[in-house]
Each structure stands twice: as C-alpha cells, then as structure tokens.
C-alpha cells in the first residue's frame, strides 16, 4: 500500500537539519505528518493578551504585550571593569500587569533599537524571580507589525496559535515551521469512512488541519477539534475492535463445571450467600468459560466487594472441567496472602491427594521467587503432572522452567502492575490460549475502561458483601490544628484498648538507601522544604511517644520476604497492635480486626491510592476509621483532593475526580505499556459520548471488513498509531 509521500517526508529535508534535530529531540517530531499533528495548546486573540498577572514561576511562557518603557544602564563588572557593562531593562504591559525584561552585554543592541515604547510583540522565555519581581531574562521575541506584508501573512486572522514549546524552540518558530508544511495537509489521507464523516457532519481531515493551525474564527477551532477528536477515538477503538475480533477467532477449550464437582462442594461449604452482584458477575464469567474462544474479561470492583471470591469460583469451575488455573499477583506479600485465604476458604477441598482431603479436592500450590529450592521443585512437579489444580504466584510463574499439565484460566490481580509481556508469557503456557480474567480494585470510569481495556469485556462489582462495615474518613490538618493530630493518636489507642488494631502509612521507608535522585521534589514539596515522612522514623517516634506501651512493628518493601511474612502473620494473629508500613499494604491485605488507619502526608498519595489504602480497614464487623494527616493549607488543591476522598466511599466517583485532576495521559501511559499516549485533543472523561459512539462505529466497521481493505486511510492511521512498540503491545494484550 502506498504511504502518503508528502506527509512521510522527513523534517530535515523541509526545515533544514538544525531545526529538525531540535524538533526530533525535544518534541519527538520526525516527519511532516508528525508536525501537522502537533496542535496549538491555545490561541491568543489579537485584542486579548495573556494576563501578565497570572504568570507561573519557572515555566516557559509566551506572552503578547506592549513595551511601556526601555532603559539602558551601564555598570561595572569583572568583564567590564570601567563601567562599560550594559544592561537593557524593558517593561512590558498588557493591561493586567507589568513584567520586566532584561538583556545584557552585546545582546542589548538589537532589542534597544527594536523594543521602543508602544511596540507590540510576542515574547517567550522562562519566568524567573529577581528582587522579588518576576522577570524574563534574554527572552526571544517577535515583533507584531500590523502592516508589513510578511507578518500580515504570518499572523493571518485574529487568532495567534500558541504551540507546546520548549526552551530550545519558541512557539512562533514552531508556528513558522508549520506554515511551511501546511500545504502538505491537502494530501492527508482521511481515516474516517466517508459515510461516518458525512453522517456526523464532520469536516475533512485536510480542512481540520488547516483550521486548527490557521483559524480565522473560534468556530474554525471548534470544527477542527470536533473532527480530530473523532479521529483519535475512532482509530484507537478500531485497533481495539480488531483485537477483540482476532481473539474471537482463536480456539480455546470450553470449561464447564461438573454439576456435582469441586465448585458445587465449595458453594455448599460457604457460610454466607453470595451477593446479587457476585452471582451476576459469576454467571457472565461462566458463560464465557463455556465458549470455544478465549474469555477476555476485566473484573473491576470496589475495595472489599468480594472479587477474590468470584475469581476463586471461576478457578474451581476450570479445575472441575479438567483444567488448571493460575493466579498472578503483583507482590510476594499478596501472593502469600491470596494463597492463605484461598486455602482457608477451601478447607479440605484444597488437600487433594492428602489424607483427610475431600473427594473432589485438588492441590493449591504457591510459587514465588524467594521459596526454597525443594519447595519450589515440588510445586513445579505438581503443576506439570496436573496434581495441582490451582497455583498462585508472582511473576516466578512466568519463567520458562514452569510447565503446566493443562492451563485453562489465568487470573491477573491488579492488572496495572503487570507488563503485557508477562501476561503474554503466561498465556503462552497453555496448549491452547487459556481464558483470561483481569482484576482491578482501582475502579476505572467506564470511558477509561473502554479506551484502555477496550479489548476486554467488563464486569463490575459495586455492592459490598453483608457484614462489611462503613469507614469514616476525616482530614487531620496537622499544621493548622496540631491538637487534631494528638487526638488521632488517642483514637488509635482507644481502638487498641477495644481489642482492635491499626495501620499507620507513610510515603517512604527512611533507610539510607533511599535514592535522593528518585525523590524528585514537586512544587508543593519545595514549598515546605521537608522530605516525606518515613516509616522507620515515625515507628520510632510513636513507640517512644504517643503509642508507648503498644506493640508497634514496621513493614516495607525492602525487608526480606520471610521477615515480611512473619510481620504479616503476627499482625494477622493480633500480636502486633500497630503496623507502620509503606504502601505495600495497599492491595489485598486482609486483617478483619484492623479498624483504624492513619495516613501520614496523605497529600503525597493519589486519590485512587488513598481509596485503595482505606479499604484495608472496616473489613470485619466493627466500623472502620481512616485519618488523612496533612500539613497542606486549607485552600490548596491537595486539601481539596483529600476532602473529596473523605467525603465519599464511591471509588468510581473518586476515580473520575482523580482523572480530572491528573489528565488521562497518566492513565493511558500506564496502561499502554509506556507507549506515548496517542490522545492529543480527546479528553477521556469529557468526551464520554464520542468514545462510546466511536466504539460502536469501530466494531461495525471491523465486523464488516476485518482487514480494512476498503479503507486505506484508516489503515495508514492505524499503522501510525501502532508503531512497533504498540503493535507488540496490542498483539500481546
């Protein structure tokens, strides 16, 4: 298939090697097509200038303003001892505020001639602070002469596009480069099927590119955005629809549970009835398992909604049908916990081949990297002979040496922590592709699920099982109200006196290995000049101070696995009153007697992470308490985030708040195996309808023509989206 030559043209041929090099290195732009898809971040209106009053410190900005006055000063310096040093100070204004520009040395001559009072220009540079006033030192600038032929051309129309720029390349230089390549936009192949484009009243791709880079009116920008959002949503959904289609063609062994086998025996043992949600989701899963192509299902549920129970029943169904099931957990602590809870839930049904094992029993083995050689060899033997129906492990399961007798189902816990390659390697261990169930406890808004996990069918568990207690959450403003923090420790003591236990969570470990390079400071950290609180320090302070006399232990990721397990066992057994930990306890830790959690420096955690941590308490019959300790001032965005977490227990609501604050690039980046996010104008949360409609359209297009033979433009766009890295990513699923 012929690719579009004009858009494939490398930038160094069109713009010259120097500019092309900067564009490639700093903006990742290599071809004419890449540059045409580098859209303006916003537009300046001729009459409306950026407010100088709102300039952010330490950021590269582009402002349009008028010179109010310019003064040349002489001064003495090491280089110019006789007072021959020159400094040009220019004050610019835009009606909202004033800003000082400074030029030094031989750099003063040109601006001194050009930046006369009354001149209007665009200025770009990094905002710095000098003598407590904001300034731009040696800014690049471009005069706005309303009359000269060239600039009338360049700044055609009333809207000036401002591009995402870097220190090495100002916005207007990018703008000029785009003007150079804009004629090529006429040759852009349209990825949208014509019927779809016309049916929805969208402009053509060449017209959209023209309007986004050279708009004459705001309506032009709106037309271009509407069109380009559809491109992004549709091309991504076609990629996912093709994957669903390809998966549906793969053969798999149908796995139907025996009517009076292991699953039935397990259900008879259950001391409680499943919630309606668990029954509904289980039915969806069993229906999938019974088909002859592989199940691909995402099971997402609130913290504590009983996902593990649903997954276990699916695993038992597969064992019933003669297959094996593997559960992949992201950490050893979690794998050990899942193993313990599965063995507890199954009782004698987990004692296959042992005296006292039940008639339908199977073996449940654990496989992790830190196991002793003998235990490991035995576990691997049980897998290859088929003796073990269920295996729970970390990525040690993926190693080449691990062989299965007949792998029928793979359950992946906490999907976002697993590389696609790892999922793929495990899937490759079945004689035919096994069924796949992906679980996540971080609730994902529906649109994100459609965009990120669009190749998986989704099941949602949103009701909590009976007997789960409510969790009260409060923000503790330690800086404004120190007595609130003292009260927090009193509350922990009260819980312990009532026979319960507590967690204290800190952002870092605090041993010397903490790498200072990793601890990059955010603006908020800078504001308070203090590193995040550490487990080892806090545990020490608590044991000697407010929690003196209580059994306090620590748990973090750098401890030896045996030590971690011992600490967890003592905590689970109730021997430890307070566990001071990092986020290693974020997922899967289940100690029903733990009722209180204090999260130190809570503002350093994301919304979803706080929700996840909070789910560790209130797992028994007693009510849970979660205290979010912060030193952030009341009006800060960090405090608003914490207030949101304290105000609702609805994880889906919180995940929306989280996304609106973080931009979805993070979410997609994480899910797209680190491939750059392809979304430039599409906003996952705002454009919910477009994504849902694009998914329907994409599914229909792929059903009708899986190879897209009739749509060369769409194939070109797909090839661009799925460069090699993503092609592999999508192949592997």
């Amino acid at each position: 298939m012929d690719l579009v030559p004009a858009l494939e043209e490398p930038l160094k041929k069109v713009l010259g090697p120097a500019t092309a090099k900067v564009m490639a290195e700093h903006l990742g732009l290599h071809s004419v097509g890449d540059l045409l898809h580098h859209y303006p971040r916003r537009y300046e209106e001729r009459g409306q200038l950026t407010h100088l009053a709102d300039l952010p410190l330490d950021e590269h900005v582009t402002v349009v303003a008028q010179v109010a006055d310019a003064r040349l000063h002489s001064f003495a310096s090491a280089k110019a001892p006789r007072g021959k040093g020159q400094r040009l100070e220019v004050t610019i204004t835009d009606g909202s505020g004033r800003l000082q520009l400074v030029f030094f040395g031989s750099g003063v001559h040109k601006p001194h001639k050009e930046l006369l009072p009354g001149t209007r220009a665009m200025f770009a540079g990094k905002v710095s602070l000098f003598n407590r006033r904001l300034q731009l030192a040696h800014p690049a600038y471009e005069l706005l002469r309303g009359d000269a032929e060239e600039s009338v051309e360049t700044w055609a129309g009333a809207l000036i596009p401002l591009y995402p720029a870097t220190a090495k390349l100002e916005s207007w230089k990018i703008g000029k480069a785009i003007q150079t390549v804009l004629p090529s936009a006429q040759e852009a192949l349209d990825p949208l099927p014509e019927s779809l484009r016309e049916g929805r009243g969208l402009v053509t791709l060449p017209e959209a590119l023209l309007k986004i880079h050279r708009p004459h009116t705001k309506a032009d920008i709106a037309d271009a955005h509407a069109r380009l959002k559809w491109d992004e949503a549709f091309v991504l959904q076609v990629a996912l629809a093709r994957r669903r289609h390809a998966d549906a063609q793969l053969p798999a062994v149908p796995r139907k549970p025996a009517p009076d086998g292991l699953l039935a025996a397990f259900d008879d043992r259950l001391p409680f009835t499943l919630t309606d949600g668990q029954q509904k989701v289980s039915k969806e899963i069993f229906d999938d398992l019974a088909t002859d192509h592989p199940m691909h299902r995402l099971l997402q549920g609130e913290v504590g909604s009983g996902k593990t129970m649903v997954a276990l029943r699916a695993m038992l169904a597969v064992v019933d049908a003669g297959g094996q099931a593997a559960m992949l957990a992201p950490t050893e602590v979690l794998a050990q916990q899942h193993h313990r809870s599965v063995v507890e839930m199954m009782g004698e049904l987990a004692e296959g081949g042992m005296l006292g094992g039940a008639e339908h029993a199977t073996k449940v083995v654990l496989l992790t990297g830190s196991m002793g050689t003998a235990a490991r060899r035995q576990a691997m033997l049980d897998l290859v002979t088929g003796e073990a129906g269920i295996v729970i492990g970390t990525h040690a399961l993926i190693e080449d040496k691990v062989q299965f007798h007949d792998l029928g189902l793979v359950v992946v816990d906490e999907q976002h922590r697993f590389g696609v390659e790892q999922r793929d390697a495990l899937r490759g261990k079945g004689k035919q592709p096994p069924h796949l169930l992906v679980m996540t406890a971080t609730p994902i808004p529906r649109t994100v699920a459609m965009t990120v996990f669009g190749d998986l069918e989704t099941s949602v568990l949103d009701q909590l099982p009976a007997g789960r207690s409510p969790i009260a959450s409060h923000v503790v403003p330690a800086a404004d109200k120190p007595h609130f923090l003292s009260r927090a420790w009193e509350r922990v003591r009260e819980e312990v006196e009532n026979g319960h236990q507590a967690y204290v969570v800190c952002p870092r470990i605090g041993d010397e290995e903490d790498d200072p390079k990793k601890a990059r400071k955010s603006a908020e950290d800078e504001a308070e000049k203090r590193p995040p609180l550490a487990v080892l320090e806090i545990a020490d302070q608590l044991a000697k101070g407010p929690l003196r006399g209580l059994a306090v232990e620590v748990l973090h990721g750098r401890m030896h696995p045996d030590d971690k397990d011992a600490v967890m066992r003592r905590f689970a057994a109730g021997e430890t009153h307070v566990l001071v930990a990092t986020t290693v306890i974020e997922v899967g830790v289940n100690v029903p007697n733990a009722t209180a959690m204090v999260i130190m420096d809570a503002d350093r955690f994301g919304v979803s992470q706080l929700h996840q941590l909070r789910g560790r308490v209130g797992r028994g019959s007693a009510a849970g308490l979660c205290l979010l300790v912060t030193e952030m001032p009341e009006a800060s965005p960090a405090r608003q985030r914490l207030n949101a977490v304290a105000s609702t227990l609805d994880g889906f609501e919180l995940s929306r708040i989280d996304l609106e604050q973080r931009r979805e690039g993070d979410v997609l980046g994480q899910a797209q195996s680190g491939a750059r996010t392809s979304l430039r104008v599409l906003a996952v949360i705002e454009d919910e309808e477009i994504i849902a409609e694009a998914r329907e359209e994409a599914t229909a297009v792929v059903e009708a023509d899986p190879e897209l033979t009739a749509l060369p433009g769409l194939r070109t766009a797909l090839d661009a989206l799925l460069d090699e890295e993503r092609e592999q990513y999508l192949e592997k699923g």
Side-chain angles (χ1 to χ4, degrees):
M1 177 179 86
D2 272 342
L3 283 174
V4 192
L7 298 193
E8 289 291 292
E9 190 83 50
L11 287 174
K12 58 172 173 272
K13 277 193 174 167
V14 191
L15 303 175
T19 311
K21 184 169 185 253
V22 176
M23 286 196 167
E25 281 173 11
H26 294 272
L27 297 168
L29 306 175
H30 302 279
S31 67
V32 169
D34 290 345
L35 183 54
L36 286 173
H37 286 291
H38 186 73
Y39 308 135
R41 177 181 290 161
R42 57 191 175 87
Y43 301 86
E44 275 294 2
E45 291 182 58
R46 264 298 163 69
Q48 275 191 333
L49 312 175
T50 323
H51 291 313
L52 291 180
D54 310 333
L55 287 182
L57 193 59
D58 278 348
E59 278 190 30
H60 281 277
V61 296
T62 303
V63 295
V64 178
Q66 192 160 5
V67 176
D69 75 339
R71 296 174 187 198
L72 194 58
H73 301 274
S74 302
F75 62 93
S77 72
K79 282 188 181 164
R82 292 208 200 89
K84 292 279 177 61
Q86 289 195 307
R87 180 175 81 241
L88 175 66
E89 290 180 1
V90 179
T91 306
I92 58 173
T93 175
D94 66 352
S96 78
R98 299 164 84 81
L99 179 67
Q100 184 116 41
L101 316 177
V102 284
F103 300 88
F104 293 100
S106 55
V108 303
H109 306 307
K110 184 167 177 272
H112 190 212
K113 287 211 296 276
E114 294 183 334
L115 297 178
L116 305 170
T119 311
R120 296 192 53 211
M122 290 175 82
F123 301 91
K126 189 173 182 181
V127 183
S128 58
L129 204 53
F130 181 71
N131 277 345
R132 305 181 66 170
R133 287 167 61 192
L134 293 181
Q135 69 165 23
L136 297 181
H138 281 282
Y141 62 89
E142 178 86 359
L143 301 179
L144 296 175
R145 300 190 183 90
D147 42 25
E149 197 50 43
E150 187 244 4
S151 58
V152 172
E153 262 314 292
T154 316
W155 309 107
L159 295 161
I160 304 169
L162 293 184
Y163 291 91
T166 71
K168 297 270 193 291
L169 206 59
E170 295 90 13
S171 167
W172 59 80
K173 289 191 180 157
I174 297 173
K176 282 185 168 170
I178 285 174
Q179 297 301 337
T180 309
V181 301
L182 207 49
S184 310
Q186 292 309 325
E187 299 185 40
L189 266 187
D190 204 322
L192 293 189
E194 203 163 322
S195 55
L196 186 159
R197 190 175 61 68
E198 287 174 353
R200 295 186 177 273
L202 300 168
V203 300
T204 62
L205 183 55
E207 190 181 337
L209 290 172
L210 212 58
K211 283 183 165 175
I212 201 162
H213 292 300
R214 291 185 72 167
H216 291 284
T217 61
K218 289 188 172 169
D220 285 354
I221 301 171
D223 285 352
H225 270 168
R227 162 61 215 241
L228 295 167
K229 281 183 175 190
W230 253 95
D231 278 20
E232 289 182 3
F234 182 71
V235 174
L236 185 61
Q237 292 301 339
V238 166
L240 293 165
R242 288 185 71 187
R243 243 176 91 178
R244 285 197 301 276
H245 183 83
D247 284 337
Q249 314 307 313
L250 291 173
V253 180
R255 310 279 180 177
K256 291 184 179 144
D260 51 1
L262 183 58
L263 178 62
F266 175 77
D267 283 350
D268 290 344
R269 285 180 49 101
L270 282 181
F272 51 82
T273 50
L274 298 174
T275 63
D276 296 348
Q278 286 175 316
Q279 296 194 2
K280 176 178 135 287
V281 170
S282 289
K283 181 179 183 316
E284 293 170 349
I285 292 172
F286 290 155
D287 289 350
D288 280 359
L289 290 174
T291 60
D292 53 13
H293 57 83
M295 162 171 86
H296 276 127
R297 194 167 276 282
L298 172 69
L299 169 58
Q300 52 166 329
E302 272 296 0
V303 180
S305 56
K307 290 182 300 295
T308 315
M309 173 60 72
V310 170
L312 176 55
R313 292 184 72 240
M315 288 159 69
L316 296 175
V318 169
V319 175
D320 253 356
Q324 290 169 294
M327 184 181 217
L328 208 54
T331 64
E332 296 212 349
V333 169
L334 248 175
Q336 287 162 342
Q337 269 211 304
H338 277 314
H339 181 253
R340 265 205 297 277
S341 59
V342 164
V343 169
E344 272 166 32
M345 286 197 265
M346 287 176 63
E348 72 258 28
L349 295 175
E351 297 169 0
M354 289 152 74
L355 277 172
E359 159 196 11
H360 297 294
T362 185
K363 231 179 182 184
V364 180
V365 299
L366 175 68
L367 191 60
T368 65
S370 65
M371 281 168 71
T373 320
R376 212 180 144 102
R377 193 176 294 129
Q378 183 59 52
M380 284 164 65
L381 188 66
D382 288 343
L383 285 180
V384 76
T385 58
E387 184 88 3
I390 295 178
V391 58
I392 296 169
T394 54
H395 35 245
L397 279 177
I398 296 167
E399 292 171 8
D400 295 342
K401 298 194 283 285
V402 181
Q403 298 296 322
F404 289 85
H405 176 63
D406 178 13
L407 181 60
L409 170 67
V410 174
V411 179
V412 179
D413 188 23
E414 284 306 315
Q415 140 68 21
H416 62 276
R417 298 170 177 228
F418 264 104
V420 177
E421 293 72 24
Q422 296 166 309
R423 252 167 48 182
D424 185 49
L426 194 50
R427 275 168 62 180
K429 291 185 179 294
K431 294 190 172 70
Q432 280 188 316
H435 299 282
L436 175 70
L437 180 64
V438 169
M439 300 200 295
T440 173
T442 309
I444 307 168
R446 176 170 150 267
T447 40
V448 181
M450 281 194 299
T451 311
V452 177
F453 299 110
D455 58 315
L456 301 172
E457 298 301 323
T458 306
S459 296
V460 176
L461 270 177
D462 48 13
Q463 73 190 110
L464 295 182
R468 285 301 300 257
S469 306
I471 304 172
S473 305
H474 304 285
V475 177
V476 177
D480 316 349
K481 301 183 176 158
H483 59 284
F484 275 38
L485 184 57
S486 319
R487 177 71 190 116
W489 301 127
E490 283 171 25
R491 284 290 290 117
V492 170
R493 286 198 90 97
E494 287 164 18
E495 290 299 313
V496 172
E497 280 158 17
N498 290 333
H500 297 302
Q501 292 160 278
Y503 297 101
V504 177
V505 181
C506 303
R508 70 187 181 105
I509 298 173
D511 52 15
E512 285 358 301
E513 292 173 55
D514 278 357
D515 182 349
K517 286 199 199 85
K518 281 191 189 146
R520 281 215 312 277
K521 293 196 166 72
S522 72
E524 286 183 351
D525 293 359
E526 276 298 330
E528 53 181 2
K529 291 281 186 282
R530 152 171 101 57
L533 293 172
V535 165
L536 300 175
E537 293 155 18
I538 291 287
D540 194 42
Q541 288 168 20
L542 291 177
K544 290 177 180 161
L547 303 184
R548 203 170 35 250
L550 302 186
V552 177
E553 288 212 55
V554 298
L555 179 70
H556 59 75
R558 279 208 285 267
M559 289 165 61
H560 187 279
D562 292 349
D563 296 343
K564 274 194 248 186
D565 202 39
V567 168
M568 258 340 288
R569 277 178 196 277
R570 285 196 292 275
F571 190 64
E575 295 163 25
T576 306
H577 299 135
V578 178
L579 187 61
V580 183
T582 54
T583 52
V584 289
I585 61 158
E586 181 185 347
V587 280
V589 171
N590 187 16
V591 179
N593 191 43
T595 52
M597 175 176 285
V598 181
I599 302 179
M600 307 302 292
D601 279 344
D603 46 272
R604 317 252 179 160
F605 299 96
V607 170
S608 297
Q609 203 175 22
L610 289 169
H611 180 59
Q612 193 71 29
L613 284 165
R614 167 172 68 183
R616 302 300 114 217
V617 295
R619 299 178 82 85
S621 51
L625 172 68
C626 177
L627 301 175
L628 306 164
V629 180
T630 177
E631 292 187 356
M632 283 291 146
E634 185 130 24
S636 61
R639 272 286 279 283
Q640 288 158 9
R641 250 192 355 250
L642 296 181
N643 291 339
V645 175
S647 67
T648 176
L649 288 172
D650 179 344
F652 288 92
E653 178 53 34
L654 286 174
S655 63
R656 286 185 75 101
I657 294 171
D658 200 12
L659 261 182
E660 281 159 5
Q661 293 189 332
R662 287 192 318 169
R663 299 200 323 280
E664 52 283 327
D666 311 356
V667 180
L668 294 178
Q670 183 182 40
Q672 302 286 28
S673 87
R676 62 197 164 82
T677 164
S678 58
L679 304 190
R680 298 193 180 92
V681 286
L682 191 71
V684 173
I685 292 283
E686 287 162 36
D687 299 319
E688 198 151 355
E689 283 167 29
I690 296 181
I691 291 170
E693 289 170 21
R695 180 174 168 131
E696 278 175 36
E697 295 272 9
T699 308
V701 165
V702 172
E703 290 292 311
D705 177 9
E707 290 306 306
L708 309 178
T709 32
L711 299 165
L714 178 53
R715 292 192 56 156
T716 304
L718 267 183
D719 292 340
L721 171 74
L722 310 179
D723 47 37
E724 251 167 273
E725 172 182 25
R726 305 184 86 174
E727 186 69 80
Q728 285 175 341
Y729 170 78
L730 286 180
E731 282 304 306
K732 290 179 173 168

